[in-house]
Amino acid sequence: MRALYTLIIQGICLLLWLFFMVIWYRSDPAGEVRRRGALAVPVPLLIAAVFVVAFIFPFGWAFFPLALAGLVIFLAGFLCALWSKATLGDCWSPGNEIRVMHEVVREVPYSLVRHPVYVSLVVMLLGTCLIFGSLTMLAATAVCAAILSFMAYMEERLLMEELGQGYLDYQEGVPFIVPRISNMWRD
């Protein structure tokens, strides 16, 4: 019976990933793009690659308690990603670009880390690794996290050039991707 529950959790995870990918692209704001960044690796492609690698080279185990813990972690990342994206509003885009009305967003979760969507994606992937009990997926997630960190770095360069001193001031007080405990209860 627990094997059935594990399969149900895995199915829920896959459906939520599909839902997230639809939201990733379908909610692209209609605002005019002022400038596009040089690097724009499609995030859904990265996520799909993690699943492909894990299913081509299955190595690990899946069982109910691990899947349940993974679902809780996945949902935390999922909700934080949606919240982060909603907080950006019209400044959000599925690629590396600056909108005409772009501004520095300082509300929570952007007061905790400068790239909460990327952090949330990694948390979602870690939860997925537990849900599927895949060590191969964990290795692919590590590679994906490195790519997302590099994308965040490239995004930072674009934001510094376009938003100037306002973004530099923001960088001074907010960590890149790992929140400081002291920032957690500041706002």
Side-chain angles (χ1 to χ4, degrees), residues 80-144:
C80 188
L82 294 179
W83 175 34
S84 301
K85 192 174 159 309
T87 301
L88 276 181
D90 289 339
C91 293
W92 183 86
S93 69
N96 190 3
E97 55 195 29
I98 301 289
R99 302 283 177 175
V100 170
M101 301 300 288
H102 214 100
E103 61 186 12
V104 178
V105 175
R106 298 175 190 266
E107 291 87 35
V108 175
Y110 289 88
S111 63
L112 301 175
V113 293
R114 296 193 303 263
H115 300 280
V117 173
Y118 293 148
V119 172
S120 298
L121 285 171
V122 172
V123 170
M124 289 168 65
L125 283 168
L126 290 173
T128 303
C129 292
L130 292 175
I131 289 169
F132 286 90
S134 174
L135 295 175
T136 309
M137 188 179 273
L138 185 61
T141 294
V143 171
C144 188

Side-chain angles (χ1 to χ4, degrees), residues 132-165:
F132 286 90
S134 174
L135 295 175
T136 309
M137 188 179 273
L138 185 61
T141 294
V143 171
C144 188
I147 292 169
L148 289 171
S149 295
F150 182 70
M151 287 172 52
Y153 171 76
M154 296 303 289
E155 194 175 297
E156 293 256 316
R157 291 179 57 193
L158 181 64
L159 289 166
M160 283 187 287
E161 290 172 12
E162 288 294 316
L163 301 177
Q165 190 61 44

Side-chain angles (χ1 to χ4, degrees), residues 157-179:
R157 291 179 57 193
L158 181 64
L159 289 166
M160 283 187 287
E161 290 172 12
E162 288 294 316
L163 301 177
Q165 190 61 44
Y167 195 77
L168 292 172
D169 293 342
Y170 172 68
Q171 280 183 313
E172 290 283 321
V174 180
F176 184 59
I177 56 172
V178 178

